[in-house]
Amino acid sequence: GELAGVVHLSYIVNFAEQTSLDWNGRDIDKFVEPWDVCPNCKQDYQNELGLSTWQMSVWYVEIYHPREKIRTLEAFDTKLRVLAV
């Protein structure tokens, strides 16, 4: 139903935030992946869900890592991949 998507998005964001907190600062793919790929089926998020996770990743970077430009660039790269599908 309609509520399931909201619950699913909140789960994704929570998982991505927690995973991003553990990022080692070296392998940028480890930072991007939880915002970009489903941890269960390993498929990229697409369409509206892909755009929603992108928006949340940009928000996360702006709030928690405002000085780390590489994370900002990676968040925008994720959006470009979503739009290209």
Side-chain angles (χ1 to χ4, degrees), residues 40-60:
N40 295 321
C41 70
K42 306 298 183 202
Q43 292 185 17
D44 290 349
Y45 299 125
Q46 298 178 4
N47 303 321
E48 190 173 327
L49 181 59
L51 289 174
S52 295
T53 58
W54 166 75
Q55 289 172 322
M56 296 307 295
S57 71
V58 171
W59 170 83
Y60 175 85

Side-chain angles (χ1 to χ4, degrees), residues 1-80:
E2 194 172 308
L3 184 58
V6 175
V7 173
H8 193 237
L9 179 60
S10 67
Y11 165 78
I12 292 167
V13 170
N14 185 47
F15 173 78
E17 286 177 345
Q18 294 303 311
T19 304
S20 295
L21 288 174
D22 296 333
W23 183 55
N24 63 15
R26 293 183 295 268
D27 185 356
I28 195 66
D29 289 337
K30 296 290 184 191
F31 174 76
V32 173
E33 187 172 312
W35 297 101
D36 197 30
V37 178
C38 175
N40 295 321
C41 70
K42 306 298 183 202
Q43 292 185 17
D44 290 349
Y45 299 125
Q46 298 178 4
N47 303 321
E48 190 173 327
L49 181 59
L51 289 174
S52 295
T53 58
W54 166 75
Q55 289 172 322
M56 296 307 295
S57 71
V58 171
W59 170 83
Y60 175 85
V61 169
E62 288 176 349
I63 298 297
Y64 294 104
H65 307 283
R67 295 187 184 126
E68 295 184 36
K69 299 302 179 196
I70 188 69
R71 292 186 197 214
T72 302
L73 291 172
E74 288 298 329
F76 279 98
D77 180 60
T78 298
K79 180 184 181 186
L80 292 174

